[in-house]
Amino acid sequence: QVQLVESGGGLVQAGGSLRLSCAASGSIFSINAMGWYRRAPGKPRELVAAITSAGSTNYADSVKGRFTISRDNAKNTVYLQMNSLNPEDTAVYTCNAVAYSDSRYSYWGQGTQVTVSS
């Protein structure tokens, strides 16, 4: 089992920045990759950014050049630095971890609201 606790959401003006954190606990040795998803009202959930245990990253086209995902292995924490935010970034952001043991498991955090005002 893996538990994920997110923090760092909030309200910010367009052009501003926020940093989201996702702290993992439990069977963290089994985690292969972690990522951030978001769901805006009336839209499907989308992958924002992901990072593997080897440090490889990938981003949604809409956030490339503005968002940066990183991880601190000592703290078992993944961060999403979001710069140049715009109202289209408004969504509930949820942390995800993919772990492998006897099978593939996907774990989710509780979600954190990010609201960007124009």
Side-chain angles (χ1 to χ4, degrees), residues 2-107:
V2 173
Q3 294 77 43
L4 303 174
V5 178
E6 301 132 334
S7 60
L11 174 65
V12 65
Q13 288 189 329
S17 299
L18 282 174
R19 189 177 80 157
L20 305 182
S21 300
C22 175
S25 61
S27 302
I28 57 175
F29 59 89
S30 64
I31 295 175
N32 176 260
M34 295 183 70
W36 289 94
Y37 287 75
R38 68 184 181 187
R39 176 170 281 167
K43 294 185 178 180
R45 183 173 63 194
E46 65 171 343
L47 175 65
V48 177
I51 185 167
T52 69
S53 56
S56 297
T57 59
N58 68 287
Y59 298 90
D61 287 343
S62 59
V63 307
K64 284 180 180 177
R66 300 188 299 122
F67 291 11
T68 302
I69 189 169
S70 61
R71 62 193 298 164
D72 184 333
N73 291 329
K75 296 183 178 180
N76 301 315
T77 299
V78 170
Y79 304 97
L80 184 67
Q81 178 66 44
M82 305 184 293
N83 299 328
S84 302
L85 286 161
N86 59 63
E88 290 69 40
D89 296 314
T90 295
V92 176
Y93 286 70
T94 307
C95 181
N96 172 263
V98 175
Y100 292 90
S101 54
D102 59 326
S103 184
R104 181 184 185 276
Y105 297 93
S106 183
Y107 299 96

